[in-house]
Amino acid sequence: MKKLFPVCVVVVAFGLASWAQEQQSLGDAARDNQAKKASRVIDDDNLGSTLSSSNGVQDASAKSAASDGDAATQEQKDAAVTPAAKADDSAKHRLEVLKEKEASWSKTIDMANKHLETATGMARDMWVRNLASAEEGLSDTRSKMPEAEAAAKAEEAQQQEQTPAPAPTPTDGSSQQ
C-alpha cells in the first residue's frame, strides 16, 4: 500500500498536467472573445444604410493630425453635401423615412429571433444584444412617428389651402373652347 500511494500521486500529477495543456488558456479565450464581438450586424438588407451613414468614419491607419486649412476645406465639403442630402426635407418625406426605418428594424428583429432559435454560447449572447438594440431602435422610431404624421398632415393641409380651387365647369353639357 505504501508503494502504491507515490505511484498514484505521479499518475494524477501527469494526468492533471496533460489535461491543463488541452484546456484553452485565459488569454486565448479573451482574444477569441474580442475577435468575435460585433458592434453592428451588416447584411444585405441594411448594407446601403450602413454605407451611407459611414461617411464620417475614418480608416484606423489615417493620421489624426490635420492642419487648419484641411479642417476648413473639410467644412466646405460638408456644407456642399448637406443641401443636396436634405433636398427633400418635407414632413411627408421624414414620415416616409421613419416608416422605412420601422420596416428595417422589424426585419432586423425577425432575423435576430430566427438566429436566436439555433444560436448557442457567445453567438446567442450577440444575438440577444442585437435583438435588444433593434427593439430599442424600433421603439425610438415609433415614438417619433406620431409627431411626423401630424406634421405631414399639417403640411398637406397647408398645401391644399395654397392651391387655388379649380374653376367651376359648366353643367349644361356644352364645352367651351
Side-chain angles (χ1 to χ4, degrees):
M1 190 79 165
K2 290 183 181 182
K3 293 182 181 181
L4 188 59
F5 181 72
V7 172
C8 287
V9 169
V10 170
V11 168
V12 168
F14 280 118
L16 287 175
S18 66
W19 175 76
Q21 287 181 346
E22 292 175 4
Q23 297 298 315
Q24 187 178 23
S25 72
L26 188 57
D28 291 339
R31 276 190 292 278
D32 290 347
N33 187 25
Q34 193 70 18
K36 291 180 183 178
K37 285 186 180 177
S39 62
R40 183 173 177 191
V41 176
I42 300 172
D43 60 3
D44 291 340
D45 295 332
N46 63 4
L47 183 61
S49 66
T50 302
L51 292 176
S52 66
S53 66
S54 66
N55 56 358
V57 176
Q58 283 186 334
D59 185 9
S61 63
K63 295 180 181 176
S64 62
S67 66
D68 293 334
D70 291 340
T73 305
Q74 184 62 33
E75 288 176 12
Q76 290 174 352
K77 288 180 183 176
D78 290 343
V81 172
T82 303
K86 294 186 177 183
D88 190 9
D89 198 25
S90 65
K92 185 177 180 181
H93 180 259
R94 287 190 300 266
L95 180 61
E96 290 172 4
V97 168
L98 284 173
K99 287 181 179 179
E100 289 172 6
K101 283 184 179 181
E102 180 183 30
S104 177
W105 283 122
S106 296
K107 285 181 185 177
T108 303
I109 289 170
D110 292 342
M111 181 178 51
N113 283 328
K114 185 180 94 176
H115 285 286
L116 273 172
E117 293 173 2
T118 58
T120 59
M122 289 182 0
R124 183 171 183 77
D125 294 340
M126 178 191 69
W127 283 111
V128 167
R129 286 191 307 270
N130 288 343
L131 179 61
S133 175
E135 287 173 342
E136 182 180 332
L138 180 63
S139 174
D140 183 47
T141 301
R142 285 184 175 164
S143 70
K144 294 176 184 177
M145 288 189 73
E147 182 181 325
E149 287 172 346
K153 285 180 183 178
E155 186 178 89
E156 186 177 332
Q158 183 181 13
Q159 287 176 352
Q160 287 179 353
E161 288 176 3
Q162 291 176 353
T163 305
T169 59
T171 57
D172 64 356
S174 63
S175 63
Q176 296 175 354
Q177 292 183 351

